[in-house]
Amino acid sequence: MSGYTSMKEQSSLRYAWYVLGILLLAYISSFIDRQILALLVKPIKASFGISDTQMGLLMGLSFALFYTFLGIPIGIMADRMSRKKIIGWGIAIWSLMTALCGLAGSFSMLFWARVGVGVGEAALSPAAYSMISDYFPKKKLGTAMSIYNMGVYLGSGISILLGAAIRAMIGQENIQLPFVGEIFSWQVIFFYIGLPGLLIVLLVQSIKEPKRKELDSDRESASKATLKEIIAYFKANKRTFLSLNFGMAFMAFASYAGIYWVPTFLNRVHGWNDTKAGVTFGLLVTVFSTLGVISGGRYADYLSKKGVVNAKMKASYIGMSIAILCTIGVLFPNPNATIAFIGLFCFFSSFPYGSATAAIQEIVPNNMRAIFSAFFLFVVNIIGLGLGPLSVGFFNDAVFHDPLKINYSIFIAQMSGCVISAAALFIGLKPFIRSVDYLKKHLTVA
């Protein structure tokens, strides 16, 4: 009987990895669609005559507005409804809205198309986090979450690489489309990267909806948390949630400030052409950030096996502390030294992405996972995605009044973000241990 049980568990775990692969593919697609603007700063500014601050709005706040606010109601839905259907509808919406960016004839039209992309992408992660937590045992959750969150960096890096390749292929001349008319050459990129996402909808619908289980038991959770219970649980663990959420928010603030503006920095300050800047930075993000997020998750799981209760918080804090030292790279006059430090920053700043998202799942009961994940994403994205790219554009326009000072703008954004992130994660180390104990008592009472 024990042999049969072991085989059943192995089969179940193999299927869990298959599902994780599909969810990772969806996450990569979402970040390709989201991050492509990083390589299109120059042509969009030239086409629409906008400032760095307006470009920052397109990159972050336009997307983050509805992405963050819709995440919470979608999180509530994901705790009650079919998560794979929610994800499927989200992918379809963001793919179509990305393609619609290719038809935008003005700054305002592009802004609202980006809002639509955010609406679709709001459906993915709250539901995906919940599904992954139900498919994987606690001892593998840090690694599983790290692999899923590789999508952040694989998608970001691939979007820049794809964008550079497609721009080189289509050239600089405006393009005439049937039934549409003339569009800017850079707008064609949105069709190439948006429409293939519709195929992923079919893959997502092919997977099985997992049973909802508690982190420390095999029984299915049938109860639905009320708003009163959710608020009470938050209040009881307020210090942990605030430390974790704001620690990750300012990590994202620092990361997005670089992801969206480094190719432009390499172009303006070091004179690199768009293709060289895009390919170089795309490779840095794809390789070093992906290694970083995997290493962070694996290190957290290693600490967990050694009995460190706050392993996931500790791994995140260590990564961000080291990342502080790496932010100075953008100030170096030598581009080779700059690239080396950017690679190190990509590695260490991505440490928390796997471990911290797993930490959320470790301190909340099953019937609240998606809503707390959505609240986590709300804070992270309204600060990180909404304000990170915008801060660099604002510093360029309002403080330095010089586009060639972009390296100082990036440095200020990244340094401040990393310092605040590391401080918040450190403050949350002890409260996290208390929250783990609180969850055990909560489940015992329930």
Side-chain angles (χ1 to χ4, degrees), residues 33 39 68 72 97 100 116 149 185 244 270 324 367 418 431 441:
D33 292 3
L39 197 66
T68 51
I72 292 177
M97 294 305 295
L100 191 60
N149 282 292
S185 61
L244 186 54
H270 293 294
I324 294 172
N367 60 352
C418 288
K441 294 175 183 176

Side-chain angles (χ1 to χ4, degrees), residues 18 32 36 61 94 102 107 129 177 206 226 232 235 238 254 294 319 350 366 381 392 400:
Y18 166 74
I32 289 174
I36 191 63
L61 199 59
W94 90 55
F107 167 78
Y129 287 163
L177 292 181
S206 72
T226 64
K235 287 182 177 179
K238 181 169 61 176
I294 286 291
S350 62
N366 178 278
N381 286 294
V392 176
F400 296 112

Side-chain angles (χ1 to χ4, degrees), residues 415-437:
M415 171 64 84
S416 58
C418 288
V419 169
I420 297 171
S421 174
L425 292 168
F426 177 78
I427 290 170
L429 289 175
K430 289 183 179 178
F432 186 85
I433 297 174
R434 292 194 290 269
S435 292
V436 171
D437 292 335

Side-chain angles (χ1 to χ4, degrees), residues 2 27 32 52 91 161 168 178 195 225 238 273 286 292 297 302 314 357 364 387 398-399 411 429-430:
S2 61
Y27 208 23
I32 289 174
D52 279 353
I91 297 172
L161 292 171
L195 295 178
K238 181 169 61 176
N273 62 45
T286 302
Y302 167 77
K314 192 170 184 179
T357 49
V364 295
L387 301 180
V399 178
F411 171 73
L429 289 175
K430 289 183 179 178

